[in-house]
């Protein structure tokens, strides 16, 4: 069992909390105060208990968090632990385990990250959505001022991926039997997730993964026959830092976009042909999804989504996809070649 210590501020109020927010934090002294101030300023009469799992840390993250909470008399628990390298999943899981024990009546469990600033109505929007859903994916935005400071090449690359991701999301929602309430792509981010207590316990909580623990738990919610939904009004603003905490996380993606060569894209994205085949129960070769591939597939995906929009039911949409696979020339038209257009550089 992992050895850890706990320090609580106002444990009595924490025990009475109906909502608990869990934050993993490793060397986050530059961000944790702003994160907590945003949580203290939430537009809701219902104070949430906060658990910060400070792991593998050599700075003053824990001391800053405790000082902030004490000055506001805010119910907060700081966990200090040394975990295995690449332990964000374990940190989230440990934080939730402590939260469940310390707040036995809490029915809402929310997750965010230490370098994020939740918008004023974030907690209220997440709580309202969890009244009608077992789990909820909030919206993660990037800090606009930080984004504006990146070079034009980075912004062009980001625009290509964003265009592909938006169309891929619409494609998946059009093909989702759940209809508009379906989440489409599993783009879950631990920076903005929420669960009913019963849901979290039913699926076994966060797994001790070095990364991807957020999408893993949402995948298990869906596999359990439960239907998570999105809360686009529940917003957190994430930093654009280049040195992250989880391998393959947002910081690694930002760093890759800042380079000169081709790079991978969000792991939720796959080539267009694979998207079509998945909904028809067919196998396709497992090809890496890169920025250049996204650019090549973008016209095909755009045309396909436009066609799907005009169809009224899932069955007619599947027939439309089947017709695409039966016509390889149509699938290839407009794709170009692997080294065709280098304009994304």
């Amino acid at each position: 069992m992992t050895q850890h210590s706990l320090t609580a501020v106002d444990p009595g109020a924490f025990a009475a909390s109906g909502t608990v927010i869990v934050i993993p934090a490793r060397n986050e002294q530059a961000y944790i105060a702003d994160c907590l101030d945003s949580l203290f300023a939430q537009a809701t009469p219902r104070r949430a208990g906060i658990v910060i799992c400070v792991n593998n840390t050599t700075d003053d993250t824990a001391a800053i968090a405790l000082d902030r909470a004490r000055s506001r008399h805010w119910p907060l628990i700081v966990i200090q632990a040394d975990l295995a390298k690449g332990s964000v999943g374990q940190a989230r899981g440990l934080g939730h385990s402590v939260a469940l024990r310390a707040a036995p009546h809490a029915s809402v469990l929310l997750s965010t990250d230490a370098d994020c600033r939740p918008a004023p109505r974030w907690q209220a929007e997440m709580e309202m959505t969890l009244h009608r859903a077992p789990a909820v994916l909030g919206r993660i935005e990037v800090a606009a001022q930080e984004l504006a400071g990146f070079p034009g090449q980075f912004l062009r690359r980001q625009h290509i991926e964003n265009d592909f991701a938006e169309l891929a999301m619409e494609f998946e929602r059009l093909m989702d039997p759940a209809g508009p309430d379906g989440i489409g792509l599993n783009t879950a981010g631990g920076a903005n997730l929420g669960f009913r207590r019963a849901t979290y316990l039913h699926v076994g909580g966060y797994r001790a993964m070095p990364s991807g623990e957020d999408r893993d738990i949402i995948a298990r919610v869906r596999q359990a026959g439960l239907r998570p939904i999105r809360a686009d009004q529940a917003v957190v603003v994430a930093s654009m830092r280049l040195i992250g905490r989880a391998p393959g996380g947002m910081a690694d993606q930002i760093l890759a976009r800042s380079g000169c060569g081709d790079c991978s894209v969000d792991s939720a994205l796959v080539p267009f042909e694979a998207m079509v085949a998945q909904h028809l129960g067919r196998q396709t070769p497992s090809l890496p999804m890169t920025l250049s591939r996204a650019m090549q597939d973008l016209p095909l995906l755009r045309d396909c989504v436009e066609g799907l929009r005009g169809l009224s039911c899932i069955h007619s949409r599947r027939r439309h996809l089947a017709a695409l696979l039966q016509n390889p020339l149509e699938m290839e038209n407009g794709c170009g070649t692997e080294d065709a257009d280098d304009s994304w550089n």
Side-chain angles (χ1 to χ4, degrees):
M1 180 179 292
T2 300
Q3 295 297 310
H4 59 271
S5 63
L6 303 180
T7 306
V9 177
D10 202 346
F14 195 102
S17 299
T19 295
V20 177
I21 301 166
V22 178
I23 307 168
R26 178 163 67 88
N27 289 335
E28 297 285 10
Q29 65 179 15
Y31 293 97
I32 193 64
D34 285 345
C35 177
L36 288 175
D37 287 348
S38 296
L39 294 176
F40 296 161
Q42 290 295 297
T44 172
R46 212 175 146 182
R47 279 190 167 194
I50 300 172
V51 175
I52 304 178
C53 187
V54 179
N55 63 96
N56 304 55
T57 291
T58 57
D59 69 3
D60 292 329
T61 299
I64 292 169
L66 289 168
D67 286 347
R68 220 66 172 192
R70 286 169 179 148
S71 70
R72 296 290 299 272
H73 305 286
W74 199 279
L76 177 142
I77 296 173
V78 167
I79 308 166
Q80 295 188 72
D82 289 323
L83 307 178
K85 185 178 180 182
S87 52
V88 64
Q90 189 177 0
R92 288 197 203 279
L94 177 58
H96 279 74
S97 294
V98 169
L100 289 164
R101 290 196 303 271
H105 305 295
S107 59
V108 170
L109 305 173
L110 304 180
S111 299
T112 191
D113 286 342
D115 68 323
C116 292
R117 290 178 287 108
R121 284 194 51 77
W122 172 71
Q123 180 186 331
E125 294 288 348
M126 294 291 275
E127 289 172 341
M128 283 194 300
T129 307
L130 285 167
H131 282 309
R132 60 189 181 93
V136 58
L137 289 69
R139 192 166 87 246
I140 302 170
E141 296 183 349
V142 297
Q145 289 182 332
E146 293 181 48
L147 182 62
F150 279 74
Q153 172 183 292
F154 174 91
L155 298 177
R156 287 192 296 274
R157 288 174 158 216
Q158 193 81 352
H159 183 69
I160 291 169
E161 181 172 347
N162 287 347
D163 280 355
F164 189 93
E166 287 176 10
L167 284 167
M169 181 67 73
E170 184 176 357
F171 173 94
E172 293 297 335
R173 281 181 149 172
L174 285 165
M175 296 305 303
D176 193 332
D181 274 345
I183 65 168
L185 291 175
N186 181 358
T187 56
N192 199 351
L193 279 182
F195 302 92
R196 292 179 185 170
R197 183 189 191 98
T199 302
Y200 186 84
L201 292 171
H202 179 67
V203 301
Y206 283 105
R207 289 174 172 162
M209 302 170 65
S211 63
E213 79 291 341
D214 36 23
R215 295 182 182 179
D216 170 74
I217 191 171
I218 289 298
R220 285 183 284 124
V221 169
R222 297 171 94 178
Q223 289 163 6
L226 304 174
R227 184 178 296 171
I229 63 178
R230 293 184 181 273
D232 288 334
Q233 302 305 311
V235 178
V236 301
V237 177
S239 75
M240 292 287 288
R241 63 185 178 189
L242 297 178
I243 300 175
R245 304 296 184 263
M250 184 173 175
D252 283 356
Q253 293 179 16
I254 292 170
L255 190 60
R257 303 298 177 282
S258 303
C260 295
D262 199 3
C263 60
S264 61
V265 296
D266 190 301
S267 60
L269 304 178
V270 298
F272 174 67
E273 185 176 357
M275 293 171 63
V276 173
Q278 284 172 3
H279 284 282
L280 297 175
R282 304 183 189 182
Q283 297 294 320
T284 58
S286 179
L287 299 174
M289 186 59 176
T290 62
L291 191 64
S292 62
R293 182 61 186 261
M295 185 183 69
Q296 292 164 13
D297 282 6
L298 195 55
L300 288 172
L301 179 56
R302 184 178 292 114
D303 288 347
C304 180
V305 168
E306 287 177 358
L308 295 175
R309 285 174 189 151
L311 302 173
S312 60
C313 69
I314 192 75
H315 301 295
S316 58
R317 290 170 188 155
R318 285 197 181 114
R319 287 195 294 271
H320 182 79
L321 297 187
L324 291 180
L325 281 190
Q326 289 169 3
N327 187 352
L329 290 178
E330 188 174 345
M331 288 284 287
E332 293 172 6
N333 187 29
C335 271
T337 62
E338 287 298 316
D339 57 357
D341 188 348
D342 223 17
S343 61
W344 49 271
N345 273 323

